[in-house]
Every structure is written in structure tokens, then in C-alpha cells.
Amino acid sequence: FLFVGTGIVKSQEENVIAIAVYNFTRYIDWPQEQAGKDFFIDVIGHKSVYDKLKEITAGRKVGNRNINVRFLEN
């Protein structure tokens, strides 16, 4: 039972991290000259967080900027 519980906690942790990163983007003041350019979020070494963040941001924008999530191994 310990292993099942650990998997659930890990999944919830990934959700919290991904949601926090996405919500953080709402507090950024965008310079006017940057309007319309894509916004990139790079996730380093945490594939499960990348997957969740990619899911959360699919089809969404920050202001008028498309969100692109990228995964980097290291």
C-alpha cells in the first residue's frame, strides 16, 4: 500500500508544480515590444512535470502570447 500512496502523492506534487508555474505567468508585465511573441517555459529534467504542464497549457495563451513548453534533459 505504501507504493500506491507514494505514486498518488507524486502525481499530486507534479500537478501543484505545473499549476503554480502556469499561474505565475499571470503576474508578468509584458513589455509592449514583446506583444504577440511566443512565451516559452523550459522544464529541466522532470519529464512528468513537463507532461502535466504541456497538458495544462494546451491551447492557452498568456495575454496574447502562445505558450510553448519545452523539455530539456539537463
Side-chain angles (χ1 to χ4, degrees):
F1 294 110
L2 178 60
F3 295 111
V4 173
T6 303
I8 292 170
V9 169
K10 182 81 169 152
S11 176
Q12 289 174 347
E13 180 180 335
E14 294 157 357
N15 286 339
V16 169
I17 292 169
I19 291 169
V21 169
Y22 173 71
N23 285 335
F24 181 75
T25 63
R26 292 193 262 167
Y27 299 101
I28 299 172
D29 290 326
W30 302 104
Q32 194 62 2
E33 63 273 3
Q34 296 294 319
K37 295 184 179 181
D38 287 353
F39 178 69
F40 292 90
I41 300 172
D42 292 340
V43 178
I44 302 171
H46 293 279
K47 182 78 165 91
S48 54
V49 172
Y50 161 80
D51 292 338
K52 184 52 75 175
L53 192 55
K54 190 83 169 163
E55 177 185 323
I56 289 170
T57 60
R60 295 188 182 198
K61 293 185 175 203
V62 175
N64 62 346
R65 303 177 86 177
N66 293 322
I67 301 172
N68 292 301
V69 181
R70 302 182 293 192
F71 178 71
L72 306 171
E73 286 288 331
N74 54 34

